[in-house]
């Protein structure tokens, strides 16, 4: 059973601070890694993907990948109230995505 | 620019009734997927279709059937609904999973 683990939270972060979300995965053959944002009652929306070890930055978001430790993280800088959502980590292997259960993030004004 | 379209958005069924959830994508994607999302369980794969004419079981296929009608459409059928199938169902598509998925807006199904 390929597994993706996330801390379910809730994670509360003051507005303007950095939010740090973490994810571990079990399948060493995984090829690509994703972060989806899901607002309550809505569908998941892709916000970041990463394929190679290291950091990938897109605006206020940075994804970090460490394949040796089987660890993926998402940093959100200058957190805004609109960032309050559940963040799903997903890992691709065998042409399918396996999702973690998500971390609920609340940004406190 | 529709992306992935799911119908219906909401449905209430009685135990034992049958229904089909419809999904269509206009992005010319090869692969399509059906997931269910339950509180505390995350998104779990029910069935997927890597290409037109093929379907495969995912993690939780029992009680469901699928049809890949053509490249655009992938339907999910519940033959005899059970309360355990109360969930939010998402359809997704991708060119290849390595690039990630685009999700539909979901179907909220309640079986009473």
């Amino acid at each position: 059973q390929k597994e993706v683990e996330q801390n379910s939270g809730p994670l509360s972060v003051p507005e303007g601070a950095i939010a740090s979300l973490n994810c571990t995965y079990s399948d060493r053959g995984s090829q690509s890694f994703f972060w989806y944002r899901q607002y309550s009652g809505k569908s998941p929306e892709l916000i970041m993907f990463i394929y190679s070890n290291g950091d990938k930055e897109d605006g206020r978001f940075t994804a970090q990948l460490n394949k040796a430790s089987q660890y993926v993280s998402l940093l959100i800088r200058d957190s805004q109230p609109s960032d309050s959502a559940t963040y799903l980590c997903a890992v691709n292997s065998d042409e399918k995505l396996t999702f973690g259960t998500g971390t609920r993030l609340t940004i406190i004004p | 620019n529709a992306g992935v379209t799911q119908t219906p958005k909401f449905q209430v069924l009685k135990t034992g009734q049958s229904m089909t959830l419809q999904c269509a994508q206009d992005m010319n994607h090869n692969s399509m997927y059906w997931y269910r999302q339950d509180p505390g369980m995350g998104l779990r794969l029910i069935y997927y279709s890597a290409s037109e004419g093929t379907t495969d079981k995912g993690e939780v296929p029992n009680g469901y059937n699928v049809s890949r009608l053509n490249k655009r459409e992938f339907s999910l059928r519940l033959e005899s609904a059970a309360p355990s199938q109360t969930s939010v169902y998402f359809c997704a598509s991708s060119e290849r999973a390595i690039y990630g998925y685009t999700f539909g807006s979901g179907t909220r199904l309640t079986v009473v």
Side-chain angles (χ1 to χ4, degrees):
Chain A
Q1 180 85 0
K2 296 167 185 173
E3 296 181 344
V4 178
E5 301 284 344
Q6 294 182 255
N7 188 326
S8 61
L11 176 65
S12 296
V13 173
E15 184 176 355
I18 296 175
S20 177
L21 305 165
N22 304 314
C23 171
T24 59
Y25 61 94
S26 64
D27 182 10
R28 285 194 173 274
S30 300
Q31 302 166 307
S32 51
F33 307 84
F34 305 88
W35 285 99
Y36 283 82
R37 178 177 62 201
Q38 187 175 26
Y39 293 114
S40 181
K42 301 296 186 181
S43 59
E45 172 194 11
L46 180 64
I47 56 170
M48 288 288 291
F49 62 90
I50 186 167
Y51 304 138
S52 305
N53 276 331
D55 295 357
K56 179 182 179 182
E57 186 174 320
D58 183 0
R60 296 186 296 112
F61 298 97
T62 300
Q64 299 174 315
L65 174 61
N66 183 326
K67 289 187 177 180
S69 300
Q70 297 174 250
Y71 178 88
V72 191
S73 65
L74 179 70
L75 301 178
I76 307 174
R77 290 182 300 281
D78 187 24
S79 297
Q80 302 297 310
S82 60
D83 295 326
S84 296
T86 296
Y87 289 80
L88 306 174
C89 174
V91 173
N92 170 51
S93 54
D94 298 332
E95 287 299 313
K96 302 183 293 294
L97 296 194
T98 300
F99 288 82
T101 54
T103 298
R104 187 154 55 95
L105 174 65
T106 300
I107 306 302
I108 303 169
Chain B
N1 190 12
V4 180
T5 302
Q6 287 184 239
T7 56
K9 294 191 183 305
F10 300 94
Q11 184 72 49
V12 178
L13 287 180
K14 294 182 178 179
T15 298
Q17 286 185 319
S18 63
M19 78 162 296
T20 300
L21 281 65
Q22 306 286 353
C23 177
Q25 51 93 7
D26 62 2
M27 296 172 287
N28 202 35
H29 285 167
N30 288 317
S31 302
M32 298 185 73
Y33 311 83
W34 277 105
Y35 283 80
R36 60 178 289 174
Q37 187 173 38
D38 304 290
M41 303 291 288
L43 284 157
R44 293 182 292 167
L45 182 63
I46 305 171
Y47 271 94
Y48 66 103
S49 170
S51 62
E52 185 179 356
T54 68
T55 60
D56 286 288
K57 296 178 180 179
E59 181 185 353
V60 288
N62 291 345
Y64 305 96
N65 286 299
V66 291
S67 296
R68 183 76 183 266
L69 304 170
N70 47 55
K71 191 170 185 179
R72 292 186 61 251
E73 299 174 286
F74 188 39
S75 62
L76 178 71
R77 183 161 179 84
L78 287 71
E79 291 290 352
S80 179
S84 60
Q85 294 177 305
T86 293
S87 187
V88 179
Y89 291 85
F90 288 104
C91 177
S93 72
S94 69
E95 178 57 31
R96 286 186 60 197
I98 193 170
Y99 305 128
Y101 297 166
T102 300
F103 281 90
S105 59
T107 296
R108 190 172 296 273
L109 176 67
T110 302
V111 182
V112 297

